Amino acid sequence: MNTNNTSIKQLIRLYSHPSAHLFRAIELKTIYQKTKKLKFKSPSLDLGSGDGKIAKLLFSGKFTYGVDNGEAEDYQESIDNKIYKKVLVESAEKMSLPNASVEFVFSNSVIEHIPDNNAVLNEVSRILRRGGHFIFTCPSDQFRYNLFISTILNKVGLRFLSRWYIKKRNNLLNHYHLYSHIEWTKKLKKRRLKVVDYGYYITRDALLLWDKMALLRLALRLVGTKRADGILSYIFGKKVKEFYDQSIPHPTHGASLFIHAIKV
């Protein structure tokens, strides 16, 4: 199993939200750029599998397992569409799979939402075989500093309101963990997971646009506009494509982070 190159057009067919087109397109492009020369063995696991749309789009083969806690109630879609060979509805903090039973674990923008981060990493290490791959994405520690409203508030000197907005926005997004690649490397090393590659993505300007579109979408919906997504796509579609076309993984700067570790 290896990764496929994806496009904004493919994401538009999956999601209506223009800000999702921006974020996910750059995210999946980054994963492809970092993994296109790799081939992943089975058994494989998609941690936080949800509806399975990302796994189906990004990977050439079918995952052995999808693991999802069921809170979003979209896992049934992955079962109905037979995206995974088997879906386990259980917590990533305590999985039912045997020790050293998996060759590849993938997780896309999920780990930051799970309160007991250490328990998840312990479980990933436990189920991975020696030499197995663990690839995941998540917001970085820089995510909090480049939000649209907080940036405006900082410019006009209202730093206390900016701090409030940053905290509120991350709470709404259920972001429990925002780390740098250095912090992730230390956490993973304790679990015999060695980081062999990483990369930051989503530039400051891209995140500002992402947050701006998300807020405008909410405002348009609150005033009763039924075509909010279409309006935003018309206004910002060209800019979204520009950010996607220009995106390349960066060694130090970006609101999100790609990590590739191997069990040693």
Side-chain angles (χ1 to χ4, degrees):
M1 180 167 66
N2 41 27
T3 49
N4 301 315
N5 197 9
T6 58
S7 68
I8 291 177
K9 288 183 179 179
Q10 290 173 298
L11 269 297
I12 289 173
R13 288 194 287 268
L14 292 185
Y15 305 102
S16 62
H17 197 331
S19 62
H21 303 158
L22 171 65
F23 206 100
R24 295 297 173 220
I26 295 175
E27 187 166 70
L28 299 190
K29 181 181 178 181
T30 301
I31 297 169
Y32 173 73
Q33 289 172 325
K34 285 289 191 179
T35 62
K36 59 186 177 183
K37 295 181 180 180
L38 301 176
K39 188 173 181 65
F40 302 106
K41 298 178 182 179
S42 293
S44 54
L45 182 152
D46 183 2
L47 194 157
S49 51
D51 56 25
K53 291 177 180 178
I54 293 295
K56 184 177 181 180
L57 181 64
L58 183 60
F59 290 92
S60 61
K62 183 180 287 191
F63 277 87
T64 312
Y65 306 106
V67 169
D68 195 89
N69 67 4
E71 286 183 6
E73 300 181 353
D74 56 353
Y75 67 90
Q76 189 60 46
E77 188 174 343
S78 72
I79 295 173
D80 295 340
N81 292 325
K82 299 179 180 179
I83 292 174
Y84 305 99
K85 293 181 181 179
K86 185 175 184 179
V87 174
L88 304 172
V89 183
E90 59 190 28
S91 172
E93 297 161 307
K94 189 173 177 60
M95 291 183 275
S96 59
L97 293 169
N99 295 347
S101 60
V102 173
E103 290 280 1
F104 172 44
V105 175
F106 171 72
S107 186
N108 184 60
S109 292
V110 170
I111 292 179
E112 71 274 12
H113 301 304
I114 303 175
D116 194 347
N117 180 267
N118 292 324
V120 176
L121 298 183
N122 289 338
E123 281 294 272
V124 169
S125 179
R126 180 184 67 79
I127 66 172
L128 264 182
R129 294 172 182 169
R130 187 174 181 181
H133 298 264
F134 177 33
I135 286 177
F136 66 95
T137 61
C138 58
S140 75
D141 59 328
Q142 298 169 40
F143 181 93
R144 59 172 70 92
Y145 301 119
N146 296 311
L147 296 169
F148 180 67
I149 295 297
S150 58
T151 299
I152 293 174
L153 292 171
N154 280 331
K155 285 182 178 179
V156 298
L158 298 174
R159 297 187 180 279
F160 70 99
L161 283 178
S162 174
R163 290 192 293 270
W164 173 85
Y165 176 79
I166 290 169
K167 184 177 180 180
K168 184 71 173 177
R169 191 79 169 97
N170 279 287
N171 285 343
L172 288 171
L173 292 167
N174 293 320
H175 285 170
Y176 294 101
H177 314 284
L178 297 174
Y179 303 135
S180 69
H181 76 279
I182 296 172
E183 292 171 295
W184 275 116
T185 298
K186 291 177 181 177
K187 290 175 72 70
L188 292 163
K189 185 178 180 181
K190 292 178 181 178
R191 282 120 184 136
R192 295 174 58 203
L193 295 164
K194 180 182 179 181
V195 173
V196 294
D197 195 13
Y198 73 92
Y200 290 84
Y201 60 96
I202 306 291
T203 63
R204 176 184 181 276
D205 289 339
L207 187 68
L208 286 171
L209 179 60
W210 172 82
D211 199 34
K212 182 179 182 179
M213 287 194 294
L215 293 169
L216 286 173
R217 183 181 193 249
L218 176 61
L220 288 169
R221 290 196 160 193
L222 287 175
V223 298
T225 303
K226 295 181 179 180
R227 298 188 66 253
D229 292 333
I231 292 169
L232 292 173
S233 292
Y234 177 78
I235 296 172
F236 299 111
K238 185 177 180 180
K239 195 65 180 176
V240 168
K241 188 175 186 306
E242 285 178 10
F243 280 128
Y244 171 78
D245 290 341
Q246 296 168 7
S247 67
I248 55 173
H250 194 277
T252 56
H253 297 298
S256 274
L257 188 57
F258 164 93
I259 297 281
H260 178 192
I262 291 178
K263 174 74 174 290
V264 296

